[in-house]
Amino acid sequence: MEPTFSIKDIAKYFNLSISTIRYYDKRGLLPFVSKNDAGYRVFTRSDMAFIKTICCLKDTGMPIRDIKQYIDYCMEGPKSIDKRKELLLKHKQHILMEEQTLKKNLKEIDQKIDHYTSGNAREIVASQVKYVQQEKKNLHLADPFSTN
């Protein structure tokens, strides 16, 4: 006989709170989970595979409504394969765009770290402050570095 798992087991396994799992259930993300005679959710290995996918989609920024749509498609069986693929391809494009933004921002952060770890960090920062002060002065704007 295949083992079953409690909500507590699932929460621990996926590092989710029990309230998060209940929230997912209320939002319609867990239609595949059965309840026992006492009314408690009983999770199976196949349920865990679905929850793994839900966590993946959530962790990669997919909105709950889109995750629900994906799960709804899954519940339709094979007839929704094209719809599932389309939804996941759209999400993948979103992730790839976010990845490019993160890479660009990481490059900026690395440049700042390089400045601050160089032997002439004080001179670089002092020069930047002086430039900003002169720019603001030329435009008759307040000096953002003044202590007044």
Side-chain angles (χ1 to χ4, degrees), residues 59-116:
D59 289 347
T60 55
M62 183 180 275
I64 293 290
R65 71 179 178 280
D66 292 346
I67 297 172
K68 181 181 181 335
Q69 182 64 71
Y70 177 78
I71 295 298
D72 288 347
Y73 288 153
C74 291
M75 296 298 100
E76 292 177 8
K79 70 180 183 177
S80 65
I81 288 173
D82 288 339
K83 292 176 184 177
R84 293 185 221 181
K85 187 171 91 175
E86 182 181 330
L87 183 65
L88 292 176
L89 284 169
K90 181 180 171 187
H91 184 59
K92 180 181 178 181
Q93 281 306 117
H94 176 74
I95 293 169
L96 291 172
M97 287 180 4
E98 281 189 1
E99 181 182 39
Q100 291 304 312
T101 300
L102 285 172
K103 284 180 180 179
K104 185 177 106 182
N105 290 333
L106 186 56
K107 185 176 179 181
E108 173 73 14
I109 290 168
D110 284 340
Q111 289 173 345
K112 295 293 183 189
I113 291 170
D114 288 346
H115 278 104
Y116 300 145

Side-chain angles (χ1 to χ4, degrees), residues 1-5 10 13-14 32 42-52:
M1 185 163 113
E2 286 288 319
T4 59
F5 307 93
I10 297 300
Y13 185 84
F14 288 102
F32 46 84
V42 179
F43 297 84
T44 63
R45 290 198 188 280
S46 63
D47 295 342
M48 291 175 75
F50 272 116
I51 293 169
K52 179 181 177 188

